[in-house]
Structure formats: C-alpha cells, structure tokens
Amino acid sequence: MSGLLRIRWAIAPEIAPRPLITCNRCGGLRPYRSSGKFRVNANGKRIDAWLIYRCVDCDNSWNFAIFERRNRRDIEPALLAALEGNDPALARRHAFDAAVLRSHVGRIEEFPDVAVERHVLERRPEHTTMLDLRLTLEMPVPLRLDRLLAGELGVSRSRLQAWEERRQLCVELDARALRKPPRDGMAIRIDLSDEPDRDTIVAAAGA
Ligand SMILES: [Zn+2]
C-alpha cells in the first residue's frame, strides 16, 4: 500500500466547561469559570481542597470540591503540594472534567473548540491516495467526529457521509462513529484515490 499516509492527531479541548450556578450576587443563573486556583483548608487532620470558580459577570466565587474532610494521611504529599502551588496541569485536569462538574452542579455549558496537533508518522508517499488518521485525546471533547473531520480536513459533512456510505471512509470498530465524539486511540481510514482535490485534503490532514 504505497499510497498510504499515516498521521496522528493529538486532540485537546480549548475551552473548559462552565457550570451554570445561581449567583447570589447577580441574582440569577450565571456561567462560572475556573480561576485556575485551588483553596486548601486544614482542620486538624482533615483537609478540604476546592478549585475556585468565579461568576463571569460579577466575580463572585464558587468552590468546586476536589475532596472534602479527607484524612491528611490519605493524601499523597505530591498532590497536596500541587494543590497548594496551584499546579496549572492539575487545575486544567479538574476544570475539564465535565462529567464530575455536571454531577456537582447539574447544568454546565460545553464548548466544541479543540486544538489539533498533527504528526506525520512516516515520510509522505509521492502520491498519497489513502489517509490513516490516528486520534489521541488526553480528555473527552464535546464534539462529533464528523464535525471534527469536516473542520480539520476542509470538507463538508455531507461529503464525509457519502464517503462513509461508499465505504471509502472507515472508522475502526465503530460503524456509527461519525455521529459520536472522537475517542482516544480511534483510527480512521479514508480512501482518496478518486478524489480530484486529494492533495488539498492530504495537506489539511498533515499540514
Ligand atoms: Zn454573579
């Protein structure tokens, strides 16, 4: 398969979900966003840790519990140091954990914006006729696979649909994958041998 080009896309969400909270200062439901700062409270042997959120309109704060009343002995020293030092990677990981956030507040706003880093895995064949895209995700993104591919490859979703119907586009192990969010480790194969604009699409996939 000399015309096969393997590319890895590392996908990361760009905007953290925002909990919708009844703001007692604004007097209504407002989105709150992560401040990136933790608050750690020690009460004897018991420790609480929260990620602090602020109302986008009035800056009022809301504490998102990371843990509460946990025994100091049960907390890794490295974790405690990261919390006390407002470690940006730790704050990001909690801020992007949409499932936990939703379970705390009920309603959240999510954003489909993602950053895609492209890594061409092998030397590009002279005439690329087949794309093999490997997706890696550090965390879930609230975005359908067809919207991701359409945006990144510069093709319409109806064209992707037509490719899928003609089996020109295959997603490993999941026939209905286009309508669902991408998953870590997903592999997508697209046969472009009959597409007149294939060089443009290949460039978009790996540029
Ligand atoms: Zn407010």
Side-chain angles (χ1 to χ4, degrees):
M1 191 92 69
S2 60
L4 178 72
L5 179 63
R6 289 179 209 280
I7 299 171
R8 184 167 68 82
W9 284 1
I11 298 163
E14 283 194 307
I15 304 171
R18 302 196 303 192
L20 293 171
I21 290 167
T22 304
C23 180
N24 53 25
R25 203 184 287 170
C26 291
L29 207 60
R30 291 286 185 282
Y32 275 54
R33 64 169 162 248
S34 168
S35 67
K37 303 261 187 293
F38 294 102
R39 193 177 141 212
V40 180
N41 213 21
N43 194 341
K45 284 200 211 71
R46 300 281 166 182
I47 295 188
D48 305 309
W50 301 280
L51 181 60
I52 300 165
Y53 279 72
R54 295 208 173 269
C55 172
V56 299
D57 287 334
C58 75
D59 226 32
N60 195 26
S61 68
W62 172 73
N63 294 337
F64 173 35
I66 307 301
F67 53 77
E68 287 177 305
R69 307 201 55 71
R70 189 177 292 179
N71 198 308
R72 181 183 284 272
R73 277 197 321 252
D74 301 334
I75 304 167
E76 289 279 333
L79 173 61
L80 199 55
L83 289 164
E84 285 172 337
N86 296 315
D87 180 69
L90 185 65
R92 179 179 158 82
R93 208 160 66 235
H94 285 289
F96 278 93
D97 195 338
V100 173
L101 201 54
R102 192 184 286 110
S103 75
H104 274 59
V105 297
R107 286 179 62 189
I108 61 171
E109 278 181 341
E110 290 189 276
F111 303 90
D113 310 62
V114 293
V116 178
E117 254 184 60
R118 295 152 160 82
H119 305 271
V120 175
L121 299 180
E122 288 157 6
R123 219 166 68 88
R124 183 179 164 172
E126 203 177 327
H127 300 291
T128 302
T129 51
M130 180 86 80
L131 277 180
D132 180 286
L133 299 172
R134 302 276 154 167
L135 310 187
T136 56
L137 285 86
E138 55 163 343
M139 47 187 111
V141 293
L143 169 69
R144 279 167 49 147
L145 179 63
D146 58 352
R147 286 185 190 278
L148 172 78
L149 291 174
E152 299 302 323
L153 295 176
V155 301
S156 67
R157 286 197 289 148
S158 53
R159 193 169 171 198
L160 290 168
Q161 185 90 49
W163 287 351
E164 189 195 37
E165 279 159 17
R166 290 201 296 267
R167 302 214 143 267
Q168 221 177 309
L169 181 154
C170 292
V171 182
E172 203 173 72
L173 304 175
D174 196 339
R176 290 186 54 81
L178 278 184
R179 292 155 202 84
K180 293 188 266 186
R183 288 197 318 269
D184 188 40
M186 199 171 238
I188 301 143
R189 244 180 210 220
I190 308 174
D191 180 353
L192 296 171
S193 41
D194 294 329
E195 303 303 312
D197 56 344
R198 67 171 173 258
D199 289 343
T200 313
I201 297 169
V202 169

PDB file of all heavy atoms in Angstrom, residues 15-38:
ATOM      1  N   ILE A  15     -11.553  25.123  25.531  1.00  0.00           N
ATOM      2  CA  ILE A  15     -12.298  25.947  26.490  1.00  0.00           C
ATOM      3  C   ILE A  15     -12.955  25.013  27.507  1.00  0.00           C
ATOM      4  O   ILE A  15     -13.696  24.100  27.134  1.00  0.00           O
ATOM      5  CB  ILE A  15     -13.366  26.806  25.794  1.00  0.00           C
ATOM      6  CG1 ILE A  15     -12.710  27.674  24.703  1.00  0.00           C
ATOM      7  CG2 ILE A  15     -14.121  27.674  26.800  1.00  0.00           C
ATOM      8  CD1 ILE A  15     -13.695  28.403  23.815  1.00  0.00           C
ATOM      9  N   ALA A  16     -12.667  25.236  28.777  1.00  0.00           N
ATOM     10  CA  ALA A  16     -13.214  24.365  29.820  1.00  0.00           C
ATOM     11  C   ALA A  16     -14.721  24.560  29.937  1.00  0.00           C
ATOM     12  O   ALA A  16     -15.229  25.657  29.680  1.00  0.00           O
ATOM     13  CB  ALA A  16     -12.545  24.680  31.152  1.00  0.00           C
ATOM     14  N   PRO A  17     -15.442  23.484  30.307  1.00  0.00           N
ATOM     15  CA  PRO A  17     -16.881  23.636  30.528  1.00  0.00           C
ATOM     16  C   PRO A  17     -17.145  24.626  31.665  1.00  0.00           C
ATOM     17  O   PRO A  17     -16.306  24.787  32.559  1.00  0.00           O
ATOM     18  CB  PRO A  17     -17.333  22.223  30.911  1.00  0.00           C
ATOM     19  CG  PRO A  17     -16.099  21.500  31.313  1.00  0.00           C
ATOM     20  CD  PRO A  17     -14.962  22.131  30.574  1.00  0.00           C
ATOM     21  N   ARG A  18     -18.290  25.298  31.598  1.00  0.00           N
ATOM     22  CA  ARG A  18     -18.616  26.285  32.638  1.00  0.00           C
ATOM     23  C   ARG A  18     -19.888  25.857  33.362  1.00  0.00           C
ATOM     24  O   ARG A  18     -20.938  25.670  32.724  1.00  0.00           O
ATOM     25  CB  ARG A  18     -18.827  27.666  32.005  1.00  0.00           C
ATOM     26  CG  ARG A  18     -17.592  28.145  31.232  1.00  0.00           C
ATOM     27  CD  ARG A  18     -17.601  29.619  30.917  1.00  0.00           C
ATOM     28  NE  ARG A  18     -18.764  30.057  30.161  1.00  0.00           N
ATOM     29  CZ  ARG A  18     -18.861  31.264  29.590  1.00  0.00           C
ATOM     30  NH1 ARG A  18     -17.874  32.123  29.700  1.00  0.00           N
ATOM     31  NH2 ARG A  18     -19.942  31.600  28.930  1.00  0.00           N
ATOM     32  N   PRO A  19     -19.808  25.675  34.669  1.00  0.00           N
ATOM     33  CA  PRO A  19     -21.006  25.339  35.424  1.00  0.00           C
ATOM     34  C   PRO A  19     -21.972  26.527  35.446  1.00  0.00           C
ATOM     35  O   PRO A  19     -21.529  27.674  35.491  1.00  0.00           O
ATOM     36  CB  PRO A  19     -20.471  25.042  36.830  1.00  0.00           C
ATOM     37  CG  PRO A  19     -19.168  25.763  36.917  1.00  0.00           C
ATOM     38  CD  PRO A  19     -18.610  25.797  35.526  1.00  0.00           C
ATOM     39  N   LEU A  20     -23.260  26.220  35.383  1.00  0.00           N
ATOM     40  CA  LEU A  20     -24.285  27.273  35.489  1.00  0.00           C
ATOM     41  C   LEU A  20     -24.808  27.258  36.915  1.00  0.00           C
ATOM     42  O   LEU A  20     -25.354  26.253  37.381  1.00  0.00           O
ATOM     43  CB  LEU A  20     -25.413  27.014  34.487  1.00  0.00           C
ATOM     44  CG  LEU A  20     -24.983  27.145  33.023  1.00  0.00           C
ATOM     45  CD1 LEU A  20     -26.083  26.651  32.090  1.00  0.00           C
ATOM     46  CD2 LEU A  20     -24.609  28.585  32.686  1.00  0.00           C
ATOM     47  N   ILE A  21     -24.592  28.362  37.590  1.00  0.00           N
ATOM     48  CA  ILE A  21     -24.860  28.424  39.022  1.00  0.00           C
ATOM     49  C   ILE A  21     -25.746  29.630  39.312  1.00  0.00           C
ATOM     50  O   ILE A  21     -25.597  30.682  38.678  1.00  0.00           O
ATOM     51  CB  ILE A  21     -23.505  28.532  39.782  1.00  0.00           C
ATOM     52  CG1 ILE A  21     -22.768  27.192  39.662  1.00  0.00           C
ATOM     53  CG2 ILE A  21     -23.691  28.918  41.246  1.00  0.00           C
ATOM     54  CD1 ILE A  21     -21.339  27.244  40.087  1.00  0.00           C
ATOM     55  N   THR A  22     -26.669  29.466  40.261  1.00  0.00           N
ATOM     56  CA  THR A  22     -27.481  30.610  40.681  1.00  0.00           C
ATOM     57  C   THR A  22     -26.580  31.534  41.501  1.00  0.00           C
ATOM     58  O   THR A  22     -26.177  31.196  42.608  1.00  0.00           O
ATOM     59  CB  THR A  22     -28.686  30.142  41.520  1.00  0.00           C
ATOM     60  OG1 THR A  22     -29.411  29.188  40.732  1.00  0.00           O
ATOM     61  CG2 THR A  22     -29.592  31.301  41.863  1.00  0.00           C
ATOM     62  N   CYS A  23     -26.253  32.664  40.907  1.00  0.00           N
ATOM     63  CA  CYS A  23     -25.320  33.590  41.546  1.00  0.00           C
ATOM     64  C   CYS A  23     -26.083  34.457  42.539  1.00  0.00           C
ATOM     65  O   CYS A  23     -27.007  35.168  42.149  1.00  0.00           O
ATOM     66  CB  CYS A  23     -24.632  34.453  40.488  1.00  0.00           C
ATOM     67  SG  CYS A  23     -23.473  35.630  41.215  1.00  0.00           S
ATOM     68  N   ASN A  24     -25.681  34.407  43.796  1.00  0.00           N
ATOM     69  CA  ASN A  24     -26.451  35.171  44.782  1.00  0.00           C
ATOM     70  C   ASN A  24     -26.150  36.664  44.701  1.00  0.00           C
ATOM     71  O   ASN A  24     -26.893  37.472  45.233  1.00  0.00           O
ATOM     72  CB  ASN A  24     -26.298  34.606  46.206  1.00  0.00           C
ATOM     73  CG  ASN A  24     -24.840  34.455  46.598  1.00  0.00           C
ATOM     74  OD1 ASN A  24     -23.968  35.156  46.071  1.00  0.00           O
ATOM     75  ND2 ASN A  24     -24.559  33.535  47.515  1.00  0.00           N
ATOM     76  N   ARG A  25     -25.086  37.036  43.984  1.00  0.00           N
ATOM     77  CA  ARG A  25     -24.806  38.463  43.835  1.00  0.00           C
ATOM     78  C   ARG A  25     -25.538  39.029  42.607  1.00  0.00           C
ATOM     79  O   ARG A  25     -26.136  40.092  42.671  1.00  0.00           O
ATOM     80  CB  ARG A  25     -23.304  38.705  43.738  1.00  0.00           C
ATOM     81  CG  ARG A  25     -22.929  40.137  44.133  1.00  0.00           C
ATOM     82  CD  ARG A  25     -21.452  40.419  43.957  1.00  0.00           C
ATOM     83  NE  ARG A  25     -20.620  39.778  44.962  1.00  0.00           N
ATOM     84  CZ  ARG A  25     -19.287  39.728  44.876  1.00  0.00           C
ATOM     85  NH1 ARG A  25     -18.659  40.258  43.838  1.00  0.00           N
ATOM     86  NH2 ARG A  25     -18.583  39.140  45.820  1.00  0.00           N
ATOM     87  N   CYS A  26     -25.486  38.288  41.497  1.00  0.00           N
ATOM     88  CA  CYS A  26     -26.199  38.732  40.285  1.00  0.00           C
ATOM     89  C   CYS A  26     -27.703  38.486  40.409  1.00  0.00           C
ATOM     90  O   CYS A  26     -28.499  39.141  39.743  1.00  0.00           O
ATOM     91  CB  CYS A  26     -25.713  37.977  39.053  1.00  0.00           C
ATOM     92  SG  CYS A  26     -24.045  38.372  38.541  1.00  0.00           S
ATOM     93  N   GLY A  27     -28.087  37.496  41.213  1.00  0.00           N
ATOM     94  CA  GLY A  27     -29.496  37.188  41.387  1.00  0.00           C
ATOM     95  C   GLY A  27     -30.083  36.360  40.246  1.00  0.00           C
ATOM     96  O   GLY A  27     -31.240  36.525  39.894  1.00  0.00           O
ATOM     97  N   GLY A  28     -29.308  35.511  39.626  1.00  0.00           N
ATOM     98  CA  GLY A  28     -29.829  34.644  38.564  1.00  0.00           C
ATOM     99  C   GLY A  28     -28.800  33.610  38.164  1.00  0.00           C
ATOM    100  O   GLY A  28     -27.689  33.590  38.714  1.00  0.00           O
ATOM    101  N   LEU A  29     -29.185  32.769  37.188  1.00  0.00           N
ATOM    102  CA  LEU A  29     -28.287  31.712  36.724  1.00  0.00           C
ATOM    103  C   LEU A  29     -27.168  32.338  35.880  1.00  0.00           C
ATOM    104  O   LEU A  29     -27.449  33.079  34.933  1.00  0.00           O
ATOM    105  CB  LEU A  29     -29.097  30.714  35.900  1.00  0.00           C
ATOM    106  CG  LEU A  29     -28.597  29.285  35.833  1.00  0.00           C
ATOM    107  CD1 LEU A  29     -28.528  28.649  37.213  1.00  0.00           C
ATOM    108  CD2 LEU A  29     -29.513  28.464  34.919  1.00  0.00           C
ATOM    109  N   ARG A  30     -25.931  32.033  36.242  1.00  0.00           N
ATOM    110  CA  ARG A  30     -24.798  32.609  35.513  1.00  0.00           C
ATOM    111  C   ARG A  30     -23.741  31.524  35.282  1.00  0.00           C
ATOM    112  O   ARG A  30     -23.566  30.633  36.116  1.00  0.00           O
ATOM    113  CB  ARG A  30     -24.113  33.713  36.336  1.00  0.00           C
ATOM    114  CG  ARG A  30     -24.918  34.972  36.519  1.00  0.00           C
ATOM    115  CD  ARG A  30     -24.969  35.798  35.223  1.00  0.00           C
ATOM    116  NE  ARG A  30     -25.644  37.065  35.428  1.00  0.00           N
ATOM    117  CZ  ARG A  30     -26.973  37.210  35.501  1.00  0.00           C
ATOM    118  NH1 ARG A  30     -27.769  36.173  35.386  1.00  0.00           N
ATOM    119  NH2 ARG A  30     -27.505  38.415  35.687  1.00  0.00           N
ATOM    120  N   PRO A  31     -23.016  31.612  34.149  1.00  0.00           N
ATOM    121  CA  PRO A  31     -21.862  30.718  33.981  1.00  0.00           C
ATOM    122  C   PRO A  31     -20.707  31.155  34.892  1.00  0.00           C
ATOM    123  O   PRO A  31     -20.477  32.352  35.060  1.00  0.00           O
ATOM    124  CB  PRO A  31     -21.487  30.887  32.510  1.00  0.00           C
ATOM    125  CG  PRO A  31     -22.180  32.105  32.024  1.00  0.00           C
ATOM    126  CD  PRO A  31     -23.233  32.508  33.004  1.00  0.00           C
ATOM    127  N   TYR A  32     -20.038  30.189  35.458  1.00  0.00           N
ATOM    128  CA  TYR A  32     -18.839  30.433  36.262  1.00  0.00           C
ATOM    129  C   TYR A  32     -17.653  29.802  35.539  1.00  0.00           C
ATOM    130  O   TYR A  32     -17.800  28.776  34.895  1.00  0.00           O
ATOM    131  CB  TYR A  32     -18.990  29.792  37.649  1.00  0.00           C
ATOM    132  CG  TYR A  32     -19.721  30.644  38.675  1.00  0.00           C
ATOM    133  CD1 TYR A  32     -20.991  31.150  38.407  1.00  0.00           C
ATOM    134  CD2 TYR A  32     -19.140  30.928  39.898  1.00  0.00           C
ATOM    135  CE1 TYR A  32     -21.666  31.919  39.354  1.00  0.00           C
ATOM    136  CE2 TYR A  32     -19.800  31.697  40.859  1.00  0.00           C
ATOM    137  CZ  TYR A  32     -21.054  32.191  40.573  1.00  0.00           C
ATOM    138  OH  TYR A  32     -21.706  32.948  41.506  1.00  0.00           O
ATOM    139  N   ARG A  33     -16.492  30.432  35.677  1.00  0.00           N
ATOM    140  CA  ARG A  33     -15.312  29.829  35.047  1.00  0.00           C
ATOM    141  C   ARG A  33     -14.211  29.609  36.076  1.00  0.00           C
ATOM    142  O   ARG A  33     -14.102  30.350  37.066  1.00  0.00           O
ATOM    143  CB  ARG A  33     -14.813  30.665  33.864  1.00  0.00           C
ATOM    144  CG  ARG A  33     -14.326  32.030  34.242  1.00  0.00           C
ATOM    145  CD  ARG A  33     -13.604  32.724  33.082  1.00  0.00           C
ATOM    146  NE  ARG A  33     -13.545  34.151  33.358  1.00  0.00           N
ATOM    147  CZ  ARG A  33     -14.198  35.079  32.665  1.00  0.00           C
ATOM    148  NH1 ARG A  33     -14.923  34.760  31.619  1.00  0.00           N
ATOM    149  NH2 ARG A  33     -14.113  36.341  33.014  1.00  0.00           N
ATOM    150  N   SER A  34     -13.397  28.617  35.797  1.00  0.00           N
ATOM    151  CA  SER A  34     -12.313  28.271  36.725  1.00  0.00           C
ATOM    152  C   SER A  34     -11.311  29.415  36.826  1.00  0.00           C
ATOM    153  O   SER A  34     -10.928  30.009  35.815  1.00  0.00           O
ATOM    154  CB  SER A  34     -11.594  27.012  36.245  1.00  0.00           C
ATOM    155  OG  SER A  34     -10.387  26.842  36.978  1.00  0.00           O
ATOM    156  N   SER A  35     -10.887  29.709  38.068  1.00  0.00           N
ATOM    157  CA  SER A  35      -9.865  30.729  38.271  1.00  0.00           C
ATOM    158  C   SER A  35      -8.469  30.127  38.116  1.00  0.00           C
ATOM    159  O   SER A  35      -7.474  30.843  38.108  1.00  0.00           O
ATOM    160  CB  SER A  35      -9.993  31.313  39.676  1.00  0.00           C
ATOM    161  OG  SER A  35      -9.658  30.297  40.632  1.00  0.00           O
ATOM    162  N   GLY A  36      -8.400  28.778  38.051  1.00  0.00           N
ATOM    163  CA  GLY A  36      -7.095  28.110  37.997  1.00  0.00           C
ATOM    164  C   GLY A  36      -6.427  28.027  39.367  1.00  0.00           C
ATOM    165  O   GLY A  36      -5.303  27.543  39.485  1.00  0.00           O
ATOM    166  N   LYS A  37      -7.133  28.491  40.398  1.00  0.00           N
ATOM    167  CA  LYS A  37      -6.557  28.483  41.755  1.00  0.00           C
ATOM    168  C   LYS A  37      -7.319  27.507  42.652  1.00  0.00           C
ATOM    169  O   LYS A  37      -8.537  27.390  42.567  1.00  0.00           O
ATOM    170  CB  LYS A  37      -6.668  29.885  42.376  1.00  0.00           C
ATOM    171  CG  LYS A  37      -6.008  30.986  41.561  1.00  0.00           C
ATOM    172  CD  LYS A  37      -4.635  31.319  42.131  1.00  0.00           C
ATOM    173  CE  LYS A  37      -3.996  32.512  41.462  1.00  0.00           C
ATOM    174  NZ  LYS A  37      -3.630  32.267  40.046  1.00  0.00           N
ATOM    175  N   PHE A  38      -6.548  26.845  43.513  1.00  0.00           N
ATOM    176  CA  PHE A  38      -7.159  25.950  44.494  1.00  0.00           C
ATOM    177  C   PHE A  38      -7.259  26.651  45.842  1.00  0.00           C
ATOM    178  O   PHE A  38      -6.508  27.589  46.129  1.00  0.00           O
ATOM    179  CB  PHE A  38      -6.312  24.685  44.660  1.00  0.00           C
ATOM    180  CG  PHE A  38      -6.272  23.812  43.439  1.00  0.00           C
ATOM    181  CD1 PHE A  38      -5.167  23.816  42.595  1.00  0.00           C
ATOM    182  CD2 PHE A  38      -7.346  22.973  43.130  1.00  0.00           C
ATOM    183  CE1 PHE A  38      -5.122  23.005  41.470  1.00  0.00           C
ATOM    184  CE2 PHE A  38      -7.299  22.162  41.998  1.00  0.00           C
ATOM    185  CZ  PHE A  38      -6.188  22.182  41.175  1.00  0.00           C
TER     186      PHE A  38
END
